[in-house]
Amino acid sequence: MGVRRTLDVDEVLKRQDSGELKRRLRGRDLVGFGVGIIIGTGIFTLAGVEAKTHAGPAVTLSFVIGAVVAGLAALCYAELASSVPTAGSAYTYAFATLGEVFAWIIGWDLLLEFALGAAVVSRGWSGYLANLLGLPSAWFGEDAKVNIGAVIIIAVLTVVAVLGIKESAWLTNLLVCVKVAVCVLIIAVGVFFIKGANLTPFIPPAQPPSGGSGALEQPVVQAALGLDQSVYGIAGVVTAAAVVFFAYTGFEALANLGEETVNPRKDLRVGILGALAVCAVLYIAVSIVLTGMIPFTDIDTGAPLAAAFDSVGQHWVGALISLGAVTGLTSVMMVELVTIGRIGFAMGRDGLLPKAIGTTHPRWGTPHRMTILGAVLIAALAAFVPISALSDMVSIGALSAMIIVALAVPVLRQRRPDLKRPFRVPFSPVVPIIAAVACFYLMLNLDVLTWIRFAAWLVLGLLIYFFYGRKHSRLAPGNRTESTT
């Protein structure tokens, strides 16, 4: 028990040439994947919800804070992804630096993040499609007892994800073009309807939440300091930043495509940093337009952008926003399905999950078994479980993974100073430490109930690891000689 199991970095690098996954992606495909997963519910719903409930017009500042923290984490991802391109991303980075237990925890967190995220988005997609085409609410949207629309879209996208990574990239890039065009239209038309009065005061004064809320719904940092519950003010801006961070999660999915990228040492950093930069600009601009068009107290949390344009008589823009939402959410689910397959593939290859999962299809070169298994779980969640507040779980899972990635950068530099690093985080270890602290602080601004759910998920994961994964790991005694540190 005193020996820490770690993967050898040189062995991880050799996996690039195994040929199990097909190298068919270039930098532009990675940017498309990144924009495809990042732009979704954040821009179409979260901006309005958080403006009304926590931050007011200063939700724009919340998006800036989220972008800065995500940018710091993205620098760390860019260094590790370009130095150690692999299908496992944060899971493999933790395995090579901090050890097997940390690797399992992060892999388990990432599966939670992307599976739950895909389930949430598929239900949102079903609702938007129902509004766009007038479909029956008994089968589509949040009022459906069994959300057939969500199940159907997951099934269709699973077929595309299994058939091949290039096919997935082609569909994602097509959808990205549509939704980016819609975002640009929102900004170009909406800027003419901005009123300065709607942006004043930019940061509304702090006040108790309307109707009150339970102790479990209070941010952890407020509960720990014994502060009264409040919304708006600086605390509200930071709380909103922790929630809208959900909007930036996903860029880390690109790090899982290292073994399928033609030139990973160059293209991975281009994809990660390029996608995040594009999305941050669009998020900030759209949030300014939204809060400038309509008083934040009047924002419709169901369809904030469409309702804002309806309020100024631009109904045709509202219809296009619904189209953009449908395409936008489709690409999010596409990338999340692809990512789940790669994470499970890496964990199965290492023996922490059944080895049958860590195999690829002989013809299509995709981790078909894990992709299908993940899709079944997502479809089950999407069919029966309401969206409610579970989107916070996506944020806490992503933030915890980013903390591990940030810490892995200086650790790997110390252990392997000779490793070729096409991209280096500036001012390391200062920047990685700041990134880890910033991510942890945002986690503390999520509510107590989210932390309880997260702890329960971790306990379940650790039980699986100690009763199955540790015994079947390729580094377990009898399977292979352990690496020690």
Side-chain angles (χ1 to χ4, degrees), residues 268-332:
L268 281 172
R269 68 177 186 268
V270 170
I272 291 171
L273 299 176
L276 186 60
V278 169
C279 295
V281 170
L282 290 175
Y283 277 147
I284 293 167
V286 169
S287 62
I288 291 174
V289 167
L290 172 63
T291 54
M293 288 180 65
I294 185 171
F296 73 90
T297 53
D298 296 338
I299 290 176
D300 178 7
T301 56
L305 285 168
F309 279 94
D310 286 341
S311 70
V312 295
Q314 303 298 309
H315 303 287
W316 63 279
V317 179
L320 288 177
I321 289 172
S322 294
L323 175 62
V326 169
T327 57
L329 298 181
T330 302
S331 65
V332 172

Side-chain angles (χ1 to χ4, degrees), residues 28-52:
R28 61 178 178 273
D29 297 316
L30 294 177
V31 173
F33 265 119
V35 176
I37 192 171
I38 296 173
I39 294 183
T41 52
I43 206 164
F44 293 111
T45 59
L46 278 184
V49 170
E50 291 307 305
K52 185 169 185 175

Side-chain angles (χ1 to χ4, degrees), residues 8-334:
D8 183 73
V9 174
D10 291 325
E11 182 179 339
V12 175
L13 292 173
K14 290 179 182 177
R15 292 177 175 180
Q16 302 177 58
D17 303 318
S18 67
E20 293 178 281
L21 297 172
K22 308 300 182 183
R23 293 191 181 277
R24 302 176 65 186
L25 300 178
R26 298 188 180 275
R28 61 178 178 273
D29 297 316
L30 294 177
V31 173
F33 265 119
V35 176
I37 192 171
I38 296 173
I39 294 183
T41 52
I43 206 164
F44 293 111
T45 59
L46 278 184
V49 170
E50 291 307 305
K52 185 169 185 175
T53 59
H54 285 122
V59 72
T60 300
L61 184 57
S62 300
F63 274 106
V64 172
I65 295 172
V68 170
V69 176
L72 292 172
L75 291 174
C76 299
Y77 265 97
E79 175 170 326
L80 294 176
S82 60
S83 305
V84 192
T86 174
S89 72
Y91 156 77
T92 304
Y93 308 149
F95 213 153
T97 55
L98 303 177
E100 186 176 86
V101 175
F102 283 98
W104 168 265
I105 291 173
I106 291 307
W108 190 244
D109 285 350
L110 290 175
L111 289 176
L112 167 71
E113 173 191 344
F114 290 107
L116 187 58
V120 169
V121 171
S122 66
R123 291 182 69 91
W125 180 93
S126 179
Y128 272 112
L129 188 69
N131 290 334
L132 185 65
L133 302 180
L135 299 174
S137 60
W139 302 108
F140 295 82
E142 278 301 282
D143 294 333
K145 291 184 178 180
V146 180
N147 199 320
I148 297 299
V151 174
I152 290 174
I153 188 59
I154 291 296
V156 171
L157 294 180
T158 300
V159 172
V160 179
V162 168
L163 286 178
I165 189 65
K166 194 63 179 179
E167 289 73 16
S168 302
W170 180 87
L171 176 60
T172 299
N173 288 337
L174 176 63
L175 297 172
V176 164
C177 289
V178 175
K179 68 178 176 182
V180 168
V182 171
C183 291
V184 172
L185 176 68
I186 291 170
I187 298 166
V189 176
V191 71
F192 293 102
F193 296 93
I194 293 177
K195 296 180 180 178
N198 293 334
L199 298 173
T200 306
F202 186 67
I203 303 179
Q207 64 184 56
S210 60
S213 59
L216 293 181
E217 297 171 343
Q218 184 178 16
V220 168
V221 67
Q222 290 185 13
L225 296 176
L227 302 176
D228 293 332
Q229 297 185 48
S230 65
V231 294
Y232 309 126
I234 297 298
V237 172
V238 178
T239 297
V243 177
V244 301
F245 192 83
F246 169 86
Y248 291 107
T249 61
F251 71 84
E252 72 268 34
L254 301 181
N256 288 280
L257 303 176
E259 295 179 46
E260 296 164 272
T261 302
V262 176
N263 185 4
R265 295 189 180 276
K266 172 187 174 183
D267 292 341
L268 281 172
R269 68 177 186 268
V270 170
I272 291 171
L273 299 176
L276 186 60
V278 169
C279 295
V281 170
L282 290 175
Y283 277 147
I284 293 167
V286 169
S287 62
I288 291 174
V289 167
L290 172 63
T291 54
M293 288 180 65
I294 185 171
F296 73 90
T297 53
D298 296 338
I299 290 176
D300 178 7
T301 56
L305 285 168
F309 279 94
D310 286 341
S311 70
V312 295
Q314 303 298 309
H315 303 287
W316 63 279
V317 179
L320 288 177
I321 289 172
S322 294
L323 175 62
V326 169
T327 57
L329 298 181
T330 302
S331 65
V332 172
M333 291 180 283
M334 182 78 260

